[in-house]
Amino acid sequence: MKQARWRRSGALAASAIEEELVLLDAATGEYFGLNRVAVALWELLAEPRTADELVVALCARYEVSEEDCSRDVRALLESLREHGLAEERAAP
């Protein structure tokens, strides 16, 4: 069974502030702040990826267990989805 793929969504403006990223949702006027690890995930979402692909990429970049990374990635993806910043699409 193929996993759904995640990607960025919405009309957003982004501004880097040191190691963080501030996103502005043009439709709602809401601001969102991403820390350094969330910025790495955000950058990976420039191309559609599965949650597992995101976990593998982040585990390779940071010293974190796969279990912890998987939990945190899935939580962040859900938060991004709730705010209209990312969307999940069924695998082709």
Side-chain angles (χ1 to χ4, degrees), residues 10-33:
L12 303 170
S15 180
I17 301 173
E18 295 185 18
E19 292 186 352
E20 296 184 352
L21 188 67
V22 176
L23 303 173
L24 169 63
D25 184 331
T28 65
E30 290 184 272
Y31 285 92
F32 304 91

Side-chain angles (χ1 to χ4, degrees), residues 49-71:
R49 300 177 195 270
T50 67
D52 287 347
E53 290 170 338
L54 294 167
V55 169
V56 168
L58 292 172
C59 282
R61 188 168 178 178
Y62 299 101
E63 289 186 34
V64 61
S65 73
E66 187 174 332
E67 181 181 331
D68 288 344
C69 187
S70 179
R71 182 191 63 241

Side-chain angles (χ1 to χ4, degrees), residues 3-9 48 81 87-92:
Q3 284 189 344
R5 301 182 80 70
W6 288 86
R7 67 180 192 139
R8 298 177 191 174
S9 64
R81 179 195 350 232
E87 61 188 10
E88 184 180 21
R89 297 254 173 116

Side-chain angles (χ1 to χ4, degrees), residues 66-86:
E66 187 174 332
E67 181 181 331
D68 288 344
C69 187
S70 179
R71 182 191 63 241
D72 293 347
V73 162
R74 291 173 201 296
L76 180 55
L77 289 171
E78 285 303 320
S79 180
L80 291 172
R81 179 195 350 232
E82 288 172 9
H83 290 96
L85 302 175

Side-chain angles (χ1 to χ4, degrees), residues 28-41:
T28 65
E30 290 184 272
Y31 285 92
F32 304 91
L34 302 178
N35 66 22
R36 150 178 86 88
V37 177
V39 169
L41 182 134

